[in-house]
Amino acid sequence: MPVKNVLLAALAASPAAAIYPNALHPLPHVHNHKERELEQSILSQLSAGSLYSVVSSADGSNDDGGNKKGNPPKAYNFSVPIDHFHNESRYEPHEDGHFDLRYWVDDTYYRPGGPVIMIGSGEFTSAARVPYMTRGIGKILAEATGGLSVVMEHRYYGTSYPVPDLSPDNMRFLTTEQALADTAYFARNVVYPGREGENLTSADTPYIFYGG
């Protein structure tokens, strides 16, 4: 059986097919109603304080959720190259364009000189990783270091798609190498909303990366 047919058969049989039934059609169908409902449910629970609702803090008291501002963080987009490696033949034909990579940021505990704590959300919609930033490892590290925490979505997941559809040929940019390059590009070039006057890129700020 041709490799492309094997890939298509595997996609059709995978659990992801239940969420992405139109995976080979244009991407407005990929981020479909089931995934939007999942994200809305997660963010609603986060806002209500019912997701990870009781977290023991350092002084023994209980945190009923969210950050000090009391609101779930807003999602932003950052433009990154579709193809970081124009010298690599496996990515041919190469692409010169950019796409929007979704991320969330929480500066509740940030102090000047503190690090940026980046949480790589892995192969899933990043809305599900926001609690890691506001109540989990991101919050713990940010409080301890005076850091700013970020959740960054993995390319090809959530809303962060570099291609118009998920045909086999367009899957060539879904590699660990390209995803890590997204992280490096982000760290070197990002300007965080509300902190436009500060240089919080990796040239002047320590970055701690967690996840994958």
Side-chain angles (χ1 to χ4, degrees), residues 2-114:
V3 172
K4 285 186 179 180
N5 290 346
V6 172
L7 176 60
L8 291 172
L11 284 171
S14 72
I19 297 178
Y20 300 108
N22 299 304
L24 301 181
H25 294 278
L27 286 178
H29 297 287
V30 173
H31 192 62
N32 63 26
H33 70 280
K34 289 185 179 179
E35 188 175 26
R36 286 196 297 271
E37 287 174 0
L38 172 64
E39 289 197 2
Q40 187 57 52
S41 173
I42 291 166
L43 293 176
S44 295
Q45 291 177 67
L46 180 60
S47 180
S50 60
L51 191 63
Y52 302 127
S53 60
V54 179
V55 180
S56 179
S57 64
D59 62 4
S61 62
N62 287 328
D63 177 3
D64 63 358
N67 53 32
K68 290 180 181 178
K69 299 172 184 176
N71 297 312
K74 178 182 176 182
Y76 297 94
N77 287 316
F78 181 77
S79 182
V80 301
I82 295 170
D83 182 5
H84 294 275
F85 302 101
H86 283 236
N87 59 333
E88 295 281 348
S89 60
R90 64 176 169 151
Y91 297 120
E92 294 176 350
H94 295 289
E95 290 284 347
D96 294 323
H98 289 63
F99 73 101
D100 285 339
L101 194 71
R102 189 167 58 160
Y103 72 99
W104 287 258
V105 59
D106 185 0
D107 62 357
T108 300
Y109 303 102
Y110 180 72
R111 299 189 301 269

Side-chain angles (χ1 to χ4, degrees), residues 166-204:
L166 298 182
S167 61
D169 286 343
N170 278 341
M171 299 300 287
R172 67 189 184 279
F173 299 116
L174 179 57
T175 66
T176 300
E177 182 181 43
Q178 294 279 3
L180 289 173
D182 289 341
T183 304
Y185 185 90
F186 180 97
R188 289 195 304 265
N189 296 282
V190 67
V191 177
Y192 293 105
R195 295 187 173 273
E196 289 80 2
E198 302 174 64
N199 185 355
L200 295 178
T201 66
S202 56
D204 288 331

